[in-house]
Amino acid sequence: MIVGLTGGIGSGKSTIAKQLCKMGFVIYDTDSHAKRLIIEDKSVRQQIEQLFGKEVYKDGRYQTAIVAQRVFADKTLLSQLNAIVHPAVKNDILRWAEQNPSATCIVECAILYQAGFDKLCDKVIAVTAPEELRIQRAIARDQTDIEKVRARMRAQDIEKSLQYADLVINNDGNTKIENICLQIEDFLHSIEAPNH
C-alpha cells in the first residue's frame, strides 16, 4: 500500500515522517530522492543539461542556486524542469514500492498533487498548521526571511491537498508528534490494504 504524506512548508510533515520511520514505517522522501536522481540518473542529467546547458553540472555537482534563480524568473523553465524530474521520481517511487511489497510505504511530498504523485497513492494524509506557526517554523528551520517563506507557501498551494486528502492532521503545536503519529498509525491500520 502506498500512502501519500503531504503538507506545506512549516506544517511539520517531515518531523512526522521521521517519527513514523522510527515506528517502523517505510518512508520515501521525494525531495532527497529527486536530488539523487538529478545527479545519478543519466537520462535526467542529459535532459537537464539540454535545458540549462552543461554548466549546470560544475565539477559533477548540480548547481542548485543557478537553476533556482533561472526557474524563479521563468515559470516555463520550471514546468520543463518538472517535466523531466517528476516522471523520474514517479518511476522511482514505483520501483521502491515494489521492493517493499509487504510494507505500508509512505511517500512524503509537499507538492504531491501538483506532481501527480497522488495518483500512485491508495490514501493521502495531509498535515496542516496555522499560517503564522508555519511561517515561524520555516524561518527558524531555514534561517530565511518572511517574504521567501510566503513566496514558497504561495507556490505550494496546499489547499488542494486539504480538500482531497483522506485524513487531515492539524499539527498546531498542542499535540505531541508521537501522539499525532499514533493517530496516523490507527488510521493506516484501519485501512484494508488493497492489492496492487
Side-chain angles (χ1 to χ4, degrees), residues 76-155:
T76 307
L77 264 183
L78 177 61
S79 296
Q80 290 172 313
L81 177 62
N82 287 342
I84 296 166
V85 178
H86 290 172
V89 173
K90 184 178 179 181
N91 290 334
D92 200 54
I93 291 168
L94 291 171
R95 269 195 305 272
W96 166 80
E98 279 174 18
Q99 289 164 1
N100 297 281
S102 61
T104 297
C105 300
I106 298 175
V107 176
E108 179 200 342
C109 183
I111 55 164
L112 192 83
Y113 287 95
Q114 295 92 323
F117 300 152
D118 61 302
K119 293 176 179 67
L120 306 176
C121 301
D122 299 296
K123 296 289 177 184
V124 173
I125 299 165
V127 183
T128 184
E131 187 173 309
E132 286 309 309
L133 182 57
R134 289 174 58 209
I135 290 167
Q136 286 169 21
R137 286 172 177 162
I139 290 171
R141 183 193 67 200
D142 300 336
Q143 302 297 305
T144 188
D145 63 67
I146 192 165
E147 285 315 310
K148 284 182 182 163
V149 174
R150 285 195 190 279
R152 281 184 66 192
M153 287 170 103
R154 283 193 298 274

Side-chain angles (χ1 to χ4, degrees), residues 63 156 169 183:
Q63 303 300 302
Q156 287 177 347
I169 297 286
Q183 185 184 342

Side-chain angles (χ1 to χ4, degrees), residues 149-166:
V149 174
R150 285 195 190 279
R152 281 184 66 192
M153 287 170 103
R154 283 193 298 274
Q156 287 177 347
D157 183 25
I158 63 149
E159 289 313 305
K160 187 183 240 187
S161 60
L162 299 182
Q163 187 180 343
Y164 295 115
D166 298 287

